[in-house]
Amino acid sequence: MFAIIETGGKQYRVQAGDIVFIEKIEGEAQSSVTFDKVALVGDENGTKIGAPYVDGATVTATLLKTAKGKKVTVWTYKPKKSSQRKMGHRQLYTQVRIEAINA
């Protein structure tokens, strides 16, 4: 059984036992979180497609850790103006393990 969940403005295809890196969500490590924005649920019997979400479907996950991703370096300049600027950014993410898909 698999599902497509939406969190942090992105969609992820998940199965039970998967470890997924998602946008940062609040919560302590080893706590449980439930995703109720399930766009699609599929199994061997067929698929259920939501409009926009499947009614009554949830995905339960456990938060493993919250950390920063790799640094992204942005370098901007304006030609012929002697203007240049270097900036860096590290996005926060949360690592979760999918426990169960409830359809």
Side-chain angles (χ1 to χ4, degrees):
M1 177 177 267
F2 70 95
I4 295 179
I5 62 170
E6 181 180 331
T7 180
K10 299 175 180 68
Q11 294 180 346
Y12 301 93
R13 183 184 188 273
V14 296
Q15 292 179 331
D18 284 353
I19 294 178
V20 183
F21 295 95
I22 61 173
E23 294 290 321
K24 182 179 182 285
I25 56 177
E26 296 299 322
E28 296 294 323
Q30 303 302 321
S31 64
S32 180
V33 64
T34 302
F35 300 105
D36 57 350
K37 293 184 177 181
V38 179
L40 183 138
V41 175
D43 58 2
E44 58 275 350
N45 297 332
T47 59
K48 295 179 190 174
I49 301 172
Y53 304 114
V54 178
D55 292 330
T58 59
V59 174
T60 307
T62 302
L63 272 70
L64 298 178
K65 68 177 183 176
T66 299
K68 289 185 176 183
K70 290 188 175 184
K71 180 173 269 193
V72 177
T73 304
V74 179
W75 188 72
T76 61
Y77 78 102
K78 295 181 182 175
K80 303 177 193 144
K81 303 293 181 194
S82 297
S83 173
Q84 48 189 330
R85 182 172 152 194
K86 183 178 177 183
M87 297 171 285
H89 176 73
R90 292 183 70 187
Q91 184 67 35
L92 294 172
Y93 69 89
T94 301
Q95 184 179 14
V96 297
R97 180 177 49 242
I98 306 299
E99 300 296 335
I101 298 172
N102 308 314

Coordinates of all heavy atoms in Angstrom, one line a residue:
M1 N 0.8 -1.2 0.0 CA 0.0 0.0 0.0 C 0.9 1.2 0.0 O 1.9 1.3 0.7 CB -0.9 0.0 1.2 CG -1.8 1.2 1.3 SD -2.9 1.2 2.7 CE -4.3 0.5 1.9
F2 N 0.5 2.2 -0.8 CA 1.3 3.5 -0.8 C 0.3 4.6 -0.8 O -0.9 4.5 -1.0 CB 2.2 3.5 -2.1 CG 1.4 3.7 -3.4 CD1 1.2 5.0 -3.9 CD2 0.9 2.6 -4.0 CE1 0.5 5.1 -5.1 CE2 0.2 2.8 -5.2 CZ 0.0 4.0 -5.8
A3 N 0.8 5.8 -0.5 CA 0.0 7.0 -0.5 C 0.8 8.2 -1.0 O 2.1 8.2 -0.9 CB -0.5 7.3 0.9
I4 N 0.2 9.2 -1.4 CA 0.8 10.5 -1.8 C 0.3 11.5 -0.8 O -0.9 11.8 -0.7 CB 0.5 10.9 -3.2 CG1 1.1 9.9 -4.2 CG2 1.0 12.3 -3.5 CD1 0.9 10.2 -5.6
I5 N 1.2 12.1 0.0 CA 0.8 13.0 1.0 C 1.4 14.4 0.6 O 2.3 14.5 -0.1 CB 1.4 12.7 2.4 CG1 2.9 12.6 2.5 CG2 0.8 11.4 2.9 CD1 3.5 12.5 3.8
E6 N 0.7 15.4 1.2 CA 1.2 16.8 0.9 C 1.5 17.5 2.2 O 0.7 17.5 3.2 CB 0.0 17.6 0.2 CG 0.4 19.0 -0.1 CD -0.7 19.8 -0.7 OE1 -1.5 19.2 -1.4 OE2 -0.7 21.0 -0.5
T7 N 2.7 18.0 2.3 CA 3.2 18.7 3.5 C 4.3 19.7 3.0 O 5.1 19.4 2.2 CB 3.7 17.8 4.6 OG1 4.2 18.6 5.7 CG2 4.8 16.9 4.1
G8 N 4.3 20.9 3.6 CA 5.3 21.9 3.3 C 5.2 22.3 1.9 O 6.2 22.8 1.3
G9 N 4.0 22.3 1.2 CA 3.9 22.7 -0.2 C 4.4 21.7 -1.2 O 4.5 22.0 -2.4
K10 N 4.8 20.5 -0.7 CA 5.3 19.5 -1.6 C 4.6 18.2 -1.5 O 3.9 18.0 -0.4 CB 6.8 19.3 -1.4 CG 7.7 20.5 -1.6 CD 9.1 20.2 -1.2 CE 10.0 21.4 -1.4 NZ 9.7 22.5 -0.5
Q11 N 4.6 17.3 -2.5 CA 4.0 16.1 -2.4 C 5.0 14.9 -2.3 O 6.0 15.0 -3.0 CB 3.0 15.8 -3.6 CG 1.9 16.8 -3.6 CD 0.9 16.6 -4.8 OE1 1.3 15.9 -5.7 NE2 -0.2 17.2 -4.7
Y12 N 4.7 13.9 -1.5 CA 5.7 12.8 -1.4 C 4.9 11.5 -1.5 O 3.9 11.3 -1.0 CB 6.3 12.9 0.0 CG 7.1 14.1 0.3 CD1 6.5 15.2 1.0 CD2 8.4 14.2 0.0 CE1 7.2 16.4 1.2 CE2 9.1 15.4 0.2 CZ 8.5 16.4 0.9 OH 9.2 17.6 1.1
R13 N 5.5 10.5 -2.3 CA 5.0 9.2 -2.4 C 5.6 8.4 -1.2 O 6.9 8.3 -1.2 CB 5.3 8.6 -3.7 CG 4.7 7.2 -3.9 CD 5.2 6.6 -5.2 NE 4.5 5.4 -5.5 CZ 4.9 4.2 -5.1 NH1 5.9 4.1 -4.3 NH2 4.2 3.1 -5.5
V14 N 4.8 7.8 -0.4 CA 5.3 7.1 0.8 C 4.7 5.7 0.9 O 3.6 5.5 0.4 CB 5.0 7.9 2.1 CG1 5.8 9.2 2.1 CG2 3.6 8.1 2.3
Q15 N 5.4 4.8 1.6 CA 5.0 3.5 2.0 C 5.3 3.3 3.4 O 6.1 4.0 4.0 CB 5.6 2.4 1.1 CG 5.3 2.4 -0.3 CD 6.0 1.3 -1.1 OE1 7.1 1.0 -0.7 NE2 5.4 0.8 -2.2
A16 N 4.7 2.3 4.0 CA 5.0 2.0 5.4 C 6.5 1.6 5.5 O 6.9 0.8 4.7 CB 4.1 0.9 5.9
G17 N 7.2 2.2 6.5 CA 8.6 1.8 6.7 C 9.6 2.8 6.0 O 10.8 2.8 6.2
D18 N 9.1 3.7 5.1 CA 9.9 4.7 4.4 C 10.4 5.7 5.4 O 9.8 6.1 6.3 CB 9.2 5.4 3.3 CG 9.0 4.5 2.1 OD1 9.6 3.4 2.0 OD2 8.3 4.9 1.1
I19 N 11.6 6.2 5.1 CA 12.2 7.4 5.8 C 12.3 8.5 4.8 O 12.9 8.4 3.8 CB 13.6 7.0 6.4 CG1 13.4 6.0 7.5 CG2 14.2 8.3 7.0 CD1 14.7 5.5 8.1
V20 N 11.6 9.6 5.2 CA 11.4 10.7 4.2 C 12.0 12.0 4.9 O 11.7 12.3 6.1 CB 9.9 10.9 3.9 CG1 9.7 12.0 2.9 CG2 9.4 9.6 3.4
F21 N 12.6 12.8 4.1 CA 13.1 14.2 4.5 C 12.0 15.2 4.0 O 11.9 15.3 2.8 CB 14.5 14.5 3.9 CG 15.5 13.6 4.5 CD1 15.9 12.5 3.8 CD2 16.1 13.9 5.7 CE1 16.9 11.6 4.3 CE2 17.2 13.1 6.2 CZ 17.5 11.9 5.5
I22 N 11.4 15.9 4.9 CA 10.3 16.8 4.6 C 10.7 18.2 5.1 O 11.6 18.3 5.9 CB 8.9 16.4 5.1 CG1 8.9 16.3 6.6 CG2 8.5 15.1 4.5 CD1 7.6 16.0 7.2
E23 N 9.9 19.2 4.7 CA 10.1 20.6 5.3 C 9.9 20.5 6.8 O 9.1 19.7 7.3 CB 9.1 21.5 4.7 CG 9.3 21.8 3.2 CD 10.6 22.6 2.9 OE1 10.9 23.5 3.6 OE2 11.3 22.2 1.9
K24 N 10.6 21.4 7.5 CA 10.5 21.4 9.0 C 9.1 21.5 9.5 O 8.4 22.3 9.1 CB 11.4 22.5 9.5 CG 11.4 22.5 11.1 CD 12.3 23.7 11.6 CE 12.4 23.7 13.0 NZ 11.2 24.1 13.7
I25 N 8.8 20.6 10.4 CA 7.5 20.7 11.2 C 7.9 20.6 12.7 O 8.9 20.1 13.1 CB 6.6 19.5 10.8 CG1 7.2 18.1 11.0 CG2 6.1 19.7 9.4 CD1 6.3 17.0 10.8
E26 N 7.0 21.2 13.5 CA 7.2 21.3 14.9 C 7.0 19.9 15.6 O 6.1 19.2 15.2 CB 6.3 22.3 15.5 CG 6.6 23.7 15.0 CD 8.0 24.2 15.3 OE1 8.5 23.9 16.4 OE2 8.6 24.9 14.5
G27 N 7.8 19.6 16.6 CA 7.6 18.4 17.3 C 8.9 17.9 17.9 O 10.0 18.3 17.4
E28 N 8.8 17.1 18.9 CA 10.0 16.5 19.5 C 10.4 15.2 18.8 O 9.6 14.6 18.2 CB 9.7 16.2 21.0 CG 9.5 17.5 21.9 CD 10.7 18.4 22.0 OE1 11.8 17.8 22.1 OE2 10.5 19.6 22.0
A29 N 11.7 14.8 19.0 CA 12.1 13.6 18.4 C 11.4 12.4 19.1 O 11.0 12.4 20.2 CB 13.6 13.4 18.6
Q30 N 11.1 11.4 18.3 CA 10.4 10.2 18.7 C 8.9 10.4 19.0 O 8.3 9.6 19.6 CB 11.1 9.5 19.9 CG 12.5 9.1 19.6 CD 12.7 8.2 18.4 OE1 11.9 7.3 18.2 NE2 13.7 8.4 17.6
S31 N 8.4 11.6 18.6 CA 7.0 11.8 18.8 C 6.2 11.5 17.5 O 6.8 11.3 16.4 CB 6.7 13.3 19.1 OG 7.1 14.1 18.1
S32 N 4.9 11.3 17.6 CA 4.1 10.8 16.5 C 3.4 12.0 15.8 O 3.0 13.0 16.5 CB 3.0 9.8 17.0 OG 2.3 9.4 15.9
V33 N 3.3 12.0 14.5 CA 2.6 13.0 13.8 C 1.7 12.4 12.8 O 2.0 11.3 12.3 CB 3.7 14.0 13.1 CG1 4.5 13.2 12.1 CG2 3.0 15.2 12.5
T34 N 0.6 13.0 12.5 CA -0.4 12.5 11.5 C -0.6 13.5 10.4 O -0.8 14.6 10.6 CB -1.8 12.2 12.2 OG1 -1.6 11.3 13.3 CG2 -2.8 11.7 11.3
F35 N -0.5 12.9 9.2 CA -0.7 13.7 8.0 C -2.1 13.4 7.5 O -2.4 12.3 7.2 CB 0.3 13.4 6.9 CG 1.8 13.7 7.3 CD1 2.6 12.6 7.6 CD2 2.2 14.9 7.4 CE1 3.9 12.8 8.0 CE2 3.5 15.2 7.8 CZ 4.4 14.1 8.1
D36 N -3.0 14.4 7.4 CA -4.3 14.2 6.9 C -4.6 14.7 5.5 O -5.6 14.4 4.9 CB -5.3 14.9 7.9 CG -5.1 16.3 8.0 OD1 -4.1 16.8 7.6 OD2 -5.9 17.0 8.6
K37 N -3.6 15.3 4.9 CA -3.7 15.8 3.5 C -3.1 14.7 2.6 O -2.0 14.7 2.1 CB -2.9 17.1 3.3 CG -3.5 18.2 4.0 CD -2.8 19.5 3.6 CE -3.4 20.7 4.3 NZ -2.7 22.0 3.9
V38 N -4.0 13.7 2.4 CA -3.6 12.5 1.6 C -4.3 12.6 0.2 O -5.5 12.6 0.1 CB -4.0 11.2 2.2 CG1 -3.6 10.0 1.4 CG2 -3.4 11.1 3.6
A39 N -3.5 12.8 -0.9 CA -4.1 13.0 -2.2 C -4.5 11.8 -2.9 O -5.4 11.8 -3.7 CB -3.1 13.8 -3.0
L40 N -3.8 10.7 -2.6 CA -4.0 9.4 -3.3 C -3.6 8.2 -2.4 O -2.6 8.3 -1.7 CB -3.2 9.4 -4.6 CG -3.3 8.2 -5.5 CD1 -3.4 8.6 -6.9 CD2 -2.2 7.2 -5.3
V41 N -4.4 7.2 -2.4 CA -4.1 6.0 -1.7 C -4.2 4.8 -2.7 O -5.2 4.7 -3.4 CB -5.0 5.7 -0.5 CG1 -4.8 4.4 0.1 CG2 -4.9 6.8 0.5
G42 N -3.2 4.0 -2.8 CA -3.2 2.9 -3.7 C -2.8 1.6 -3.1 O -1.9 1.6 -2.2
D43 N -3.4 0.5 -3.5 CA -3.0 -0.8 -3.1 C -3.3 -1.8 -4.2 O -3.6 -1.4 -5.3 CB -3.7 -1.2 -1.8 CG -5.3 -1.2 -1.9 OD1 -5.8 -0.9 -3.0 OD2 -5.9 -1.4 -0.9
E44 N -3.3 -3.1 -3.9 CA -3.5 -4.1 -4.9 C -4.9 -4.2 -5.4 O -5.2 -4.7 -6.5 CB -3.1 -5.5 -4.4 CG -3.8 -6.0 -3.2 CD -3.2 -5.5 -1.9 OE1 -2.1 -5.0 -1.9 OE2 -3.8 -5.7 -0.8
N45 N -5.9 -3.6 -4.7 CA -7.3 -3.6 -5.1 C -7.6 -2.4 -6.0 O -8.6 -2.4 -6.6 CB -8.2 -3.5 -3.9 CG -8.1 -4.7 -3.1 OD1 -7.7 -5.8 -3.6 ND2 -8.3 -4.6 -1.8
G46 N -6.7 -1.4 -6.1 CA -7.0 -0.2 -6.9 C -6.5 1.1 -6.2 O -5.8 1.0 -5.2
T47 N -6.9 2.2 -6.7 CA -6.5 3.5 -6.2 C -7.7 4.3 -5.8 O -8.7 4.2 -6.5 CB -5.6 4.3 -7.1 OG1 -6.3 4.5 -8.3 CG2 -4.3 3.5 -7.4
K48 N -7.5 5.2 -4.8 CA -8.5 6.1 -4.5 C -7.9 7.5 -4.7 O -6.9 7.8 -4.1 CB -9.0 6.0 -3.0 CG -9.7 4.7 -2.7 CD -10.0 4.7 -1.2 CE -10.5 3.3 -0.8 NZ -10.7 3.2 0.7
I49 N -8.5 8.3 -5.5 CA -8.0 9.6 -5.8 C -8.9 10.7 -5.1 O -10.1 10.6 -5.3 CB -7.9 9.9 -7.3 CG1 -7.0 8.8 -8.0 CG2 -7.4 11.3 -7.6 CD1 -7.0 8.8 -9.5
G50 N -8.3 11.6 -4.4 CA -9.0 12.6 -3.7 C -9.3 13.8 -4.6 O -8.7 14.0 -5.6
A51 N -10.3 14.6 -4.1 CA -10.6 15.8 -4.8 C -10.9 16.9 -3.8 O -12.0 17.2 -3.5 CB -11.9 15.6 -5.7
P52 N -9.9 17.6 -3.3 CA -8.4 17.4 -3.5 C -7.8 16.3 -2.6 O -6.7 15.9 -2.9 CB -7.9 18.7 -3.2 CG -8.8 19.3 -2.1 CD -10.1 18.8 -2.5
Y53 N -8.5 15.9 -1.5 CA -7.9 14.9 -0.6 C -8.9 13.8 -0.4 O -10.1 13.9 -0.5 CB -7.5 15.5 0.7 CG -6.6 16.7 0.6 CD1 -7.0 18.0 1.0 CD2 -5.3 16.6 0.1 CE1 -6.2 19.1 0.9 CE2 -4.5 17.7 0.0 CZ -4.9 18.9 0.4 OH -4.1 20.0 0.2
V54 N -8.3 12.6 -0.1 CA -9.1 11.4 0.2 C -9.8 11.5 1.5 O -9.1 11.8 2.5 CB -8.3 10.1 0.1 CG1 -9.1 8.9 0.4 CG2 -7.6 10.0 -1.2
D55 N -11.1 11.4 1.6 CA -11.8 11.5 2.9 C -11.5 10.4 3.8 O -11.5 9.2 3.4 CB -13.3 11.5 2.6 CG -13.8 12.8 1.9 OD1 -13.2 13.8 2.0 OD2 -14.8 12.7 1.1
G56 N -11.1 10.7 5.1 CA -10.9 9.7 6.1 C -9.5 9.1 6.0 O -9.2 8.2 6.9
A57 N -8.7 9.4 5.1 CA -7.4 8.8 4.9 C -6.3 9.6 5.7 O -6.3 10.8 5.6 CB -7.0 8.7 3.5
T58 N -5.5 8.9 6.5 CA -4.4 9.6 7.2 C -3.1 8.7 7.1 O -3.2 7.5 6.8 CB -4.8 9.7 8.7 OG1 -5.0 8.4 9.3 CG2 -6.0 10.6 8.9
V59 N -2.0 9.4 7.3 CA -0.7 8.7 7.3 C -0.1 9.0 8.7 O 0.1 10.2 9.0 CB 0.2 9.1 6.2 CG1 1.5 8.5 6.3 CG2 -0.5 8.7 4.8
T60 N 0.3 8.0 9.4 CA 0.9 8.2 10.7 C 2.5 8.0 10.6 O 2.9 7.1 9.9 CB 0.4 7.2 11.7 OG1 -1.0 7.3 11.7 CG2 0.9 7.4 13.1
A61 N 3.2 8.9 11.2 CA 4.7 8.9 11.1 C 5.3 9.2 12.4 O 4.6 9.8 13.3 CB 5.2 9.9 10.0
T62 N 6.6 8.9 12.6 CA 7.3 9.2 13.8 C 8.5 10.1 13.4 O 9.2 9.9 12.4 CB 7.9 7.9 14.4 OG1 6.9 7.0 14.7 CG2 8.7 8.2 15.6
L63 N 8.6 11.3 14.1 CA 9.7 12.2 13.9 C 11.0 11.6 14.4 O 11.1 11.2 15.5 CB 9.4 13.5 14.6 CG 8.6 14.6 13.9 CD1 7.2 14.2 13.8 CD2 8.7 15.9 14.6
L64 N 12.0 11.6 13.5 CA 13.3 11.1 13.9 C 14.2 12.2 14.4 O 14.8 12.1 15.4 CB 13.9 10.3 12.8 CG 13.1 9.0 12.3 CD1 13.8 8.4 11.2 CD2 12.9 8.1 13.5
K65 N 14.4 13.2 13.6 CA 15.2 14.3 13.9 C 14.9 15.5 13.1 O 14.3 15.4 12.0 CB 16.7 14.0 13.8 CG 17.2 13.8 12.4 CD 18.7 13.5 12.3 CE 19.1 13.4 10.8 NZ 20.6 13.2 10.8
T66 N 15.3 16.7 13.6 CA 15.3 17.9 12.8 C 16.7 18.5 12.7 O 17.4 18.5 13.6 CB 14.4 19.0 13.5 OG1 13.1 18.4 13.7 CG2 14.3 20.3 12.8
A67 N 17.1 18.8 11.4 CA 18.4 19.3 11.2 C 18.4 20.2 10.0 O 17.4 20.6 9.5 CB 19.3 18.1 10.9
K68 N 19.7 20.7 9.7 CA 19.8 21.6 8.5 C 20.4 20.8 7.3 O 21.2 19.9 7.5 CB 20.8 22.7 8.9 CG 20.3 23.7 9.8 CD 21.3 24.8 10.0 CE 20.7 25.9 10.9 NZ 21.6 27.0 11.0
G69 N 20.0 21.2 6.2 CA 20.5 20.6 5.0 C 21.8 21.1 4.5 O 22.4 21.9 5.3
K70 N 22.3 20.7 3.4 CA 23.5 21.2 2.9 C 23.4 22.7 2.5 O 22.4 23.2 2.2 CB 24.0 20.5 1.6 CG 24.4 19.0 2.0 CD 25.0 18.4 0.8 CE 25.5 17.0 1.1 NZ 26.2 16.4 0.0
K71 N 24.6 23.4 2.6 CA 24.6 24.8 2.3 C 24.4 25.1 0.8 O 25.1 24.4 0.0 CB 25.8 25.5 2.8 CG 25.9 27.0 2.5 CD 27.1 27.7 3.1 CE 26.6 28.1 4.5 NZ 27.6 29.1 5.1
V72 N 23.6 26.0 0.4 CA 23.4 26.5 -0.9 C 24.0 27.9 -1.0 O 23.6 28.8 -0.2 CB 21.9 26.5 -1.3 CG1 21.7 27.1 -2.7 CG2 21.3 25.2 -1.2
T73 N 24.9 28.0 -1.9 CA 25.6 29.3 -2.1 C 25.1 30.1 -3.3 O 25.0 29.5 -4.4 CB 27.1 29.1 -2.3 OG1 27.6 28.3 -1.1 CG2 27.9 30.4 -2.3
V74 N 24.7 31.3 -3.1 CA 24.2 32.2 -4.1 C 25.2 33.3 -4.3 O 25.5 34.0 -3.3 CB 22.8 32.7 -3.8 CG1 22.3 33.6 -4.9 CG2 21.8 31.5 -3.5
W75 N 25.6 33.6 -5.5 CA 26.5 34.7 -5.8 C 25.9 35.6 -6.8 O 25.6 35.1 -7.9 CB 27.9 34.1 -6.3 CG 28.9 35.1 -6.4 CD1 29.6 35.7 -5.4 CD2 29.5 35.6 -7.6 NE1 30.6 36.5 -5.9 CE2 30.5 36.5 -7.3 CE3 29.2 35.4 -9.0 CZ2 31.2 37.2 -8.2 CZ3 30.0 36.0 -9.9 CH2 31.0 36.9 -9.5
T76 N 25.7 36.8 -6.5 CA 25.1 37.7 -7.4 C 26.1 38.8 -7.8 O 26.9 39.2 -6.9 CB 23.8 38.4 -6.9 OG1 24.1 39.1 -5.7 CG2 22.8 37.3 -6.5
Y77 N 26.0 39.4 -8.9 CA 26.9 40.5 -9.3 C 26.2 41.3 -10.4 O 25.2 40.9 -11.0 CB 28.2 40.0 -9.8 CG 28.2 39.5 -11.2 CD1 28.7 40.3 -12.3 CD2 27.7 38.2 -11.6 CE1 28.6 39.8 -13.6 CE2 27.7 37.8 -12.8 CZ 28.1 38.6 -13.9 OH 28.1 38.1 -15.2
K78 N 26.6 42.6 -10.5 CA 26.1 43.5 -11.5 C 27.3 43.9 -12.4 O 28.3 44.4 -11.9 CB 25.5 44.7 -10.9 CG 24.3 44.4 -10.1 CD 23.6 45.6 -9.5 CE 22.4 45.2 -8.6 NZ 21.8 46.3 -7.9
P79 N 27.3 43.5 -13.6 CA 28.4 43.8 -14.5 C 28.7 45.3 -14.6 O 27.8 46.1 -14.7 CB 28.1 43.1 -15.8 CG 26.6 42.9 -15.8 CD 26.2 42.8 -14.3
K80 N 29.9 45.6 -14.7 CA 30.4 47.0 -14.9 C 30.1 47.9 -13.8 O 30.3 49.1 -13.9 CB 29.8 47.5 -16.2 CG 30.1 46.7 -17.5 CD 29.5 47.3 -18.7 CE 29.5 46.3 -19.8 NZ 28.4 46.3 -20.6
K81 N 29.7 47.4 -12.6 CA 29.3 48.3 -11.5 C 30.2 48.0 -10.3 O 30.0 48.6 -9.2 CB 27.9 48.1 -11.1 CG 26.9 48.4 -12.2 CD 26.9 49.8 -12.6 CE 25.8 50.1 -13.6 NZ 26.0 51.3 -14.3
S82 N 31.1 47.0 -10.3 CA 31.9 46.6 -9.2 C 31.1 46.2 -8.0 O 31.4 46.6 -6.9 CB 32.9 47.7 -8.8 OG 33.8 47.9 -9.9
S83 N 30.0 45.5 -8.3 CA 29.1 45.1 -7.2 C 28.9 43.6 -7.2 O 28.5 43.1 -8.3 CB 27.7 45.8 -7.4 OG 26.8 45.3 -6.4
Q84 N 29.3 43.0 -6.1 CA 29.1 41.5 -6.0 C 28.8 41.2 -4.6 O 29.2 41.9 -3.7 CB 30.3 40.8 -6.5 CG 31.6 41.2 -6.0 CD 32.8 40.6 -6.8 OE1 32.6 39.4 -7.2 NE2 33.9 41.3 -6.9
R85 N 28.0 40.1 -4.5 CA 27.6 39.7 -3.1 C 27.4 38.2 -3.1 O 26.9 37.6 -4.0 CB 26.2 40.4 -2.9 CG 25.6 40.1 -1.6 CD 24.4 41.0 -1.4 NE 23.4 40.4 -0.5 CZ 22.2 40.8 -0.4 NH1 21.7 41.8 -1.1 NH2 21.4 40.1 0.5
K86 N 27.9 37.6 -2.0 CA 27.9 36.1 -1.8 C 27.0 35.9 -0.6 O 27.2 36.4 0.5 CB 29.3 35.6 -1.6 CG 29.3 34.1 -1.5 CD 30.7 33.6 -1.3 CE 30.8 32.1 -1.1 NZ 32.1 31.7 -0.9
M87 N 26.0 35.0 -0.8 CA 25.1 34.6 0.3 C 25.0 33.1 0.4 O 25.1 32.4 -0.6 CB 23.7 35.2 0.0 CG 23.6 36.7 -0.1 SD 22.0 37.3 -0.7 CE 22.2 36.9 -2.4
G88 N 24.7 32.6 1.6 CA 24.5 31.2 1.8 C 23.2 31.0 2.5 O 22.7 31.8 3.2
H89 N 22.7 29.7 2.4 CA 21.4 29.4 3.0 C 21.4 27.9 3.3 O 21.9 27.1 2.5 CB 20.2 29.7 2.1 CG 18.9 29.3 2.7 ND1 18.3 29.9 3.7 CD2 18.1 28.3 2.4 CE1 17.2 29.3 4.0 NE2 17.0 28.3 3.2
R90 N 21.0 27.5 4.6 CA 20.8 26.1 4.9 C 19.4 25.9 5.3 O 18.9 26.4 6.4 CB 21.8 25.8 6.1 CG 23.2 25.8 5.7 CD 24.1 25.3 6.8 NE 23.9 23.9 7.0 CZ 24.5 23.3 8.1 NH1 25.3 24.0 8.9 NH2 24.3 22.0 8.3
Q91 N 18.6 25.1 4.6 CA 17.2 24.9 4.8 C 17.1 23.9 5.9 O 17.8 22.9 6.0 CB 16.6 24.3 3.5 CG 15.1 24.1 3.6 CD 14.3 25.4 3.8 OE1 14.7 26.4 3.2 NE2 13.3 25.4 4.5
L92 N 16.1 24.1 6.8 CA 15.8 23.2 7.9 C 14.9 22.1 7.3 O 14.0 22.3 6.5 CB 15.1 23.9 9.0 CG 15.9 24.9 9.8 CD1 15.0 25.7 10.8 CD2 17.0 24.2 10.5
Y93 N 15.1 20.8 7.8 CA 14.3 19.7 7.4 C 14.0 18.8 8.6 O 14.7 18.9 9.6 CB 14.9 18.9 6.2 CG 16.1 18.1 6.6 CD1 16.0 16.8 7.1 CD2 17.4 18.7 6.5 CE1 17.1 16.1 7.5 CE2 18.5 18.0 6.9 CZ 18.4 16.7 7.4 OH 19.5 16.0 7.8
T94 N 13.0 18.0 8.4 CA 12.6 17.0 9.4 C 12.7 15.6 8.8 O 12.1 15.4 7.7 CB 11.2 17.3 10.0 OG1 11.2 18.6 10.6 CG2 10.9 16.3 11.1
Q95 N 13.3 14.7 9.5 CA 13.3 13.3 9.0 C 12.3 12.5 9.7 O 12.2 12.5 11.0 CB 14.7 12.7 9.3 CG 14.9 11.3 8.8 CD 16.3 10.8 9.1 OE1 17.0 11.4 9.9 NE2 16.7 9.7 8.4
V96 N 11.4 11.9 9.0 CA 10.3 11.1 9.5 C 10.3 9.7 9.0 O 10.7 9.5 7.9 CB 8.9 11.8 9.3 CG1 8.8 13.1 9.9 CG2 8.6 11.9 7.8
R97 N 9.8 8.7 9.8 CA 9.6 7.4 9.4 C 8.1 7.1 9.3 O 7.4 7.3 10.3 CB 10.3 6.4 10.3 CG 10.1 4.9 9.9 CD 10.8 3.9 10.8 NE 10.5 4.1 12.2 CZ 11.5 4.4 13.1 NH1 12.7 4.6 12.7 NH2 11.2 4.6 14.4
I98 N 7.7 6.6 8.2 CA 6.2 6.4 8.0 C 5.9 5.0 8.7 O 6.5 4.0 8.4 CB 5.9 6.3 6.4 CG1 6.4 7.5 5.7 CG2 4.4 6.0 6.2 CD1 5.7 8.8 6.2
E99 N 4.9 5.1 9.6 CA 4.5 3.9 10.3 C 3.4 3.2 9.7 O 3.4 2.0 9.6 CB 4.2 4.3 11.8 CG 5.3 5.0 12.5 CD 6.5 4.1 12.8 OE1 6.3 2.8 12.8 OE2 7.6 4.6 12.9
A100 N 2.3 3.9 9.4 CA 1.1 3.3 8.9 C 0.3 4.2 7.9 O 0.4 5.4 8.1 CB 0.2 2.8 10.0
I101 N -0.4 3.6 7.0 CA -1.3 4.3 6.1 C -2.7 3.8 6.4 O -3.0 2.6 6.3 CB -0.9 4.0 4.6 CG1 0.5 4.5 4.3 CG2 -2.0 4.7 3.7 CD1 1.0 4.2 3.0
N102 N -3.6 4.7 6.9 CA -4.9 4.4 7.2 C -5.9 4.9 6.2 O -6.1 6.1 6.1 CB -5.3 5.0 8.6 CG -4.2 4.7 9.6 OD1 -3.8 3.5 9.8 ND2 -3.8 5.7 10.4
A103 N -6.5 4.0 5.4 CA -7.3 4.4 4.3 C -8.8 4.1 4.7 O -9.1 3.0 5.0 CB -6.9 3.8 3.0

